Amino acid sequence: MEMRKSILAAGAILVAAGLAFTGCSASPSGDSGGASTKVLTVGMPNGPQSPNQNPLATGSASLSLGYAFVVYESLMQINELHPTDDPTPWLAESVEWNEDSTQATITPREGVKWSDGEDFTADDIAFSIQLRKDNPELNIDFPDQYGDISVEDGKVVVGFTTSQYVNRDKLYKLLIVPEHIWSKEANPVEFTDDEMIGTGPFLLDKFTPQSVTMKPNPTYWGGETKVGALRYDTFNDNNGLTTALTTGEAQWGWTFIPDYENTFIAKDPEHFHQVAGGGFGVDVLFLNNETKPFNNVAFRQALNLTMDRPEISKKAGYGVWPVLTSVTGLPTPTGDAFIDPQFQGQETEVDVDAAKQILTDAGYTWDGSGALLDPDGEKVTFVLTNPAGWSDYLSALDIIAAGAKELGAEATVEPIVQDTWFNDTIPFGNFQASLHWVDNGSTPWNLYSNIMDGASYVPLGETANWNFGRYNNPDVTAALAAFKGASDDDTRAAAMKTIQEAFVNDAPGLVIWQRPAVAQYSTANYTGFPTAEDPYANPQPTGPQAALILSKLEPTK
């Protein structure tokens, strides 16, 4: 397996401050005419929000709707659509890694101020990282992996207990908060951050559970934004946001729109656009490996053989989410170079007869009505669950349930409240099967780690950040650690072989389709969004790239 050489340079790797900075050292839009009064409304289908602006707390309103990313900024900008591209300096002028990726030296950008007038310094970066180290609930990206964090000669030196070769992008994407504000909080996990003092191009103006308005930051280090009116509206479901996008009520967002060309773009072909890009994103049917029926590998294998992925992509994904073909779960063509030779060319398929044979060999039987009985003689039943209103997921679950019934298993689809799914169902393992995405990244490590990593394992009832299905295979855990810590291609290839063999043979979770980053936007008020011809960033508004995209936008003439 040939790994991509562009990301395997030995020795210290420097992300140079001399990289192009998208013109943000002056006016981000390159126009001295001042901000426009036109409104840019970002829409998300996430339902009413509670007044929590904490940019570090999973599930907060500011993260859910995305406005955290225009108030708080990341160290670097990365292009998730082209994961091997060099990052662009942002709050950090440079990040230098040692040879084994266990230490990063961060040089902060000079001349940046917090929105309350205080200077931004290296101490803010060190504090923001230490805050995550000291509060596991805020440390999703590097759990138990931070070492010493210090400021030396105006630079931040961050040590890690293990190699972070596969996680460099996560460091670049960390949002930085002001020490002089957050150090006063006894419980940063529950801090609601009502004032939102940041370095970004916008400030919080007004909050309601349905709509949040932002105003330009007059002292923004990147110059005056041309977007003079920014609002975030939340809608109850995909259909609500789709309607808002097609009527122009919302001009930027991301949701699943069936038949988007006719439903959305055809309403205003001059201004309405949908853009998607590659990467390692996939959606996974997480299976609870510790409860029936998915604690039996035979049933997981059998269900995998009933998954009609082309039909799921066509009928539930309307082609927006491309078909997943490789048995390794890797999206193509991004993942082709990482597929172990034994799995090259092996594609997913439906084979109900083979699935029934696997079950028979494992001691399953069928009663007179055709219902599947497990080796204990109990009927095989399970519930597939996802938030109500997530139409693509729920339609996919219907097709998966129909496949299970081909085996005699009784599968039902139960939509639930989104907040319950985010805050209870998924983290505590209170489900049998549920669709969820995985992290992107510059290698397949995040995809497999999110599904299979024993390093993320916690018992049912405890909060899991990943590995929601509680798969726990010491060999896979060791292989993921070996891939992450290796400095040569051969070691990574051997680790990937172990990982993919377990993924194929154990079916710990079932990847259903590729999930490129998708966004919809209107150019009626502003132009400059990422396009298929110029995919300069993940086009979605809910990530650190929002600050970069806003720096590119110009009022439509």
Side-chain angles (χ1 to χ4, degrees), residues 112-121 124 178 180-181 197-199:
V112 177
K113 288 185 178 295
W114 295 101
S115 55
D116 62 359
E118 293 286 331
D119 288 337
F120 163 79
T121 69
D124 293 308
H180 67 281
I181 300 292
I197 303 300
T199 60

Side-chain angles (χ1 to χ4, degrees), residues 239-461:
N239 290 334
L241 178 52
T242 298
T243 299
L245 288 165
T246 56
T247 61
E249 180 184 352
Q251 298 94 43
W252 187 18
W254 62 280
T255 189
F256 174 73
I257 302 180
D259 192 20
Y260 70 93
E261 291 182 338
N262 291 315
T263 302
F264 172 55
I265 293 176
K267 297 295 188 292
D268 186 351
E270 180 182 356
H271 297 116
F272 289 175
H273 305 272
Q274 177 165 300
V275 62
F280 283 101
V282 297
D283 280 340
V284 183
L285 184 68
F286 277 88
L287 308 174
N288 193 326
N289 283 223
E290 295 196 336
T291 62
K292 283 189 174 186
F294 299 113
N295 60 349
N296 192 318
V297 64
F299 187 72
R300 301 198 302 266
Q301 293 171 335
L303 183 65
N304 192 39
L305 287 172
T306 70
M307 299 263 285
D308 192 337
R309 290 171 172 85
E311 182 180 19
I312 292 172
S313 174
K314 179 181 179 181
K315 293 185 177 180
Y318 281 82
V320 174
W321 312 128
V323 177
L324 194 292
T325 57
S326 174
V327 295
T328 65
L330 293 185
T332 56
T334 308
D336 289 350
F338 293 92
I339 297 176
D340 190 75
Q342 66 182 306
F343 299 121
Q344 289 284 352
Q346 288 196 32
E347 297 189 351
T348 57
E349 62 178 351
V350 174
D351 193 335
V352 175
D353 290 340
K356 288 183 175 179
Q357 188 61 54
I358 289 172
L359 295 173
T360 300
D361 293 344
Y364 287 76
T365 57
W366 289 263
D367 67 13
S369 69
L372 180 64
L373 307 178
D374 68 20
D376 296 328
E378 298 178 355
K379 285 186 177 182
V380 176
T381 65
F382 63 94
V383 174
L384 298 140
T385 188
N386 272 112
W390 290 15
S391 54
D392 53 341
Y393 272 13
L394 294 174
S395 295
L397 294 183
D398 285 335
I399 297 172
I400 293 168
K405 290 177 182 178
E406 291 287 310
L407 301 176
E410 181 183 344
T412 56
V413 177
E414 292 186 3
I416 61 173
V417 175
Q418 178 183 258
D419 282 351
T420 301
W421 184 80
F422 268 117
N423 297 311
D424 179 272
T425 305
I426 285 295
F428 298 129
N430 293 327
F431 66 92
Q432 290 176 289
S434 185
L435 282 171
H436 196 289
W437 53 91
V438 299
D439 268 349
N440 220 316
S442 58
T443 74
W445 186 87
N446 286 303
L447 186 159
Y448 289 126
S449 176
N450 291 168
I451 301 170
M452 307 171 69
D453 201 341
S456 298
Y457 174 86
V458 296
L460 290 173

Side-chain angles (χ1 to χ4, degrees), residues 6 44 60 126 152 158 201 223-224 233 244 251 316 347 398 470 479 490 537:
S6 61
M44 288 297 291
S60 71
E152 302 174 12
V158 183
E224 184 182 24
D233 287 351
Q251 298 94 43
E347 297 189 351
D398 285 335
R470 272 69 176 181
D490 290 342

Side-chain angles (χ1 to χ4, degrees), residues 72-88:
Y72 298 98
E73 297 183 291
S74 58
L75 294 172
M76 311 289 277
Q77 290 284 351
I78 62 169
N79 188 349
E80 293 177 336
L81 308 188
H82 297 280
T84 61
D85 286 358
D86 289 332
T88 299

Side-chain angles (χ1 to χ4, degrees), residues 448-522:
Y448 289 126
S449 176
N450 291 168
I451 301 170
M452 307 171 69
D453 201 341
S456 298
Y457 174 86
V458 296
L460 290 173
E462 295 184 15
T463 303
N465 289 323
W466 284 112
N467 190 4
F468 305 121
R470 272 69 176 181
Y471 178 79
N472 199 5
N473 181 329
D475 292 338
V476 172
T477 303
L480 285 163
F483 185 96
K484 180 182 175 185
S487 58
D488 64 277
D489 279 357
D490 290 342
T491 301
R492 288 195 180 93
M496 191 55 60
K497 179 177 186 294
T498 298
I499 295 164
Q500 291 182 356
E501 286 176 348
F503 179 85
V504 172
N505 296 326
D506 285 359
L510 310 181
V511 178
I512 65 161
W513 54 34
Q514 302 183 52
R515 189 180 183 88
V518 174
Q520 297 87 25
Y521 60 83
S522 167

